[in-house]
Amino acid sequence: MAAQATWVSARIIADAQQADALGDALMEAGALSVTVEDADAGTPEETPQYGEPGMETQLVWARSVLSALFDADQPVAEIVAECAAALGLQAELTIEDVPETDWVRATQAQFEPIPIAGPLWIVPTWHTPPQADAINLILDPGLAFGTGSHPTTRMCLQWLVRERPNGSVLDYGCGSGILAIAAAKLGAREVVGVDIDPQAVRSAHDNADANSVEAAFFDASQTLPTPYDEQKYDVVLANILANPLRVLAPALTARLKPGASLVLAGLLAEQAEELIGIYSPWLTLHVGDTQEGWSLLVGTLPQ
């Protein structure tokens, strides 16, 4: 059975010069919202509002289309006709029902379980893991960066699957905590994450709890508590961006134990050689992976 309409959408094509006045009139008459767009968008008659330097552009479209949303029980045709008549307009009107939509389910449908490599999957909480015996990292899209869908995060996760570090791991710029949590699930003895965004730190804590993982997450803008303020690690992961990776070279390498691995991501492939040069006073980095124009750099601190 078709969903019952909750709202009605009125699509009105009118003179662009009167679009704003008509939109105001419709709002005063009970419209829940009104948007105005170019009625000729996508056609040769489309009027650009922004162009290349030197181009002349108009501040209004030749024709405008207004989309006005009303409650389903409103006499929409009569309202639009009265508003148009009051302004002396001839308006072309199309009315469509807008059924009730479960926006939560519609949003969730966009996010499916993501196979990473080997036994590791990223699974939203509303999905049943595709492989019950796999290493399933339960993670929902949220405010903090890191869901496993971006190539830089995926390359870091795939490195963790290949290397299976069993010592201590620092996730610098942890975002959602995805790398630290994955490291713990893959066998790391101790995992720590830091981020300058307090929301990310809270999100990482929540995600670790959801995965029954013990991990420590801290606000990097604050002084870390003892012993984390001076601790060194067997693996340091930093999936951030090229510019902070440049600036943080001394800080990141200072967190490495002798013989430890440094894994850098968040840089474009064409930035790899520059980053390799910046880190060369401490260790030799090489390109460990490249996906969709992004590179992963990996190196080992000398013993």
Side-chain angles (χ1 to χ4, degrees):
M1 186 174 71
Q4 183 177 1
T6 302
W7 304 285
V8 171
S9 175
R11 186 174 185 273
I12 310 143
I13 297 178
D15 185 335
Q17 300 291 343
Q18 298 290 335
D20 287 342
L22 180 55
D24 290 343
L26 291 169
M27 290 295 293
E28 291 178 6
L32 301 173
S33 67
V34 177
T35 60
V36 184
E37 298 175 317
D38 186 355
D40 298 313
T43 74
E45 287 72 38
E46 179 177 0
T47 304
Q49 295 299 301
Y50 303 97
E52 297 296 330
M55 287 180 60
E56 293 186 5
T57 57
Q58 301 180 38
L59 297 180
V60 295
W61 295 295
R63 294 189 312 145
S64 289
V65 57
L66 293 84
S67 296
L69 190 67
F70 292 88
D71 284 323
D73 58 359
Q74 294 294 305
V76 177
E78 290 83 350
I79 291 173
V80 173
E82 290 176 5
C83 291
L87 294 170
L89 298 178
Q90 295 292 327
E92 303 174 31
L93 173 65
T94 304
I95 297 177
E96 295 181 350
D97 288 340
V98 180
E100 180 69 57
T101 301
D102 187 336
W103 294 110
V104 172
R105 288 184 178 274
T107 301
Q108 290 177 347
Q110 301 177 49
F111 298 96
E112 296 288 331
I114 301 171
I116 298 300
L120 184 64
W121 284 74
I122 310 299
V123 184
T125 55
W126 54 83
H127 276 284
T128 300
Q131 297 180 13
D133 58 347
I135 299 174
N136 293 300
L137 200 163
I138 308 303
L139 190 74
D140 289 344
L143 296 178
F145 176 80
T147 62
S149 59
H150 194 275
T152 61
T153 307
R154 193 164 58 244
M155 286 189 291
C156 290
L157 291 169
Q158 290 169 347
W159 184 89
L160 286 170
V161 171
R162 289 194 300 271
E163 300 299 326
R164 297 293 185 99
N166 57 12
S168 56
V169 175
L170 172 64
D171 180 3
Y172 199 99
C174 63
S176 67
I178 185 172
L179 300 182
I181 297 167
K185 280 183 168 274
L186 289 163
R189 170 178 47 82
E190 179 186 17
V191 292
V192 177
V194 296
D195 202 290
I196 59 172
D197 181 2
Q199 173 63 47
V201 175
R202 289 191 294 270
S203 176
H205 275 296
D206 292 343
N207 289 329
D209 290 343
N211 283 275
S212 301
V213 161
E214 290 189 11
F217 295 100
F218 302 104
D219 186 339
S221 65
Q222 307 293 324
T223 300
L224 300 188
T226 305
Y228 299 104
D229 55 342
E230 297 183 355
Q231 185 166 330
K232 296 180 184 292
Y233 298 86
D234 297 299
V235 174
V236 173
L237 298 157
N239 179 24
I240 39 182
L241 292 170
N243 194 50
L245 287 175
R246 295 182 185 101
V247 175
L248 289 169
L252 292 176
T253 52
R255 291 291 187 168
L256 295 168
K257 292 179 179 180
S261 296
L262 178 65
V263 181
L264 306 180
L267 60 142
L268 296 169
E270 56 265 28
Q271 297 169 325
E273 287 304 318
E274 178 195 359
L275 268 295
I276 289 171
I278 289 173
Y279 281 78
S280 61
W282 295 276
L283 76 170
T284 300
L285 291 172
H286 67 274
V287 177
D289 198 356
T290 300
Q291 295 182 21
E292 299 179 32
W294 299 88
S295 283
L296 181 82
L297 298 183
V298 182
T300 302
L301 190 71
Q303 293 278 2

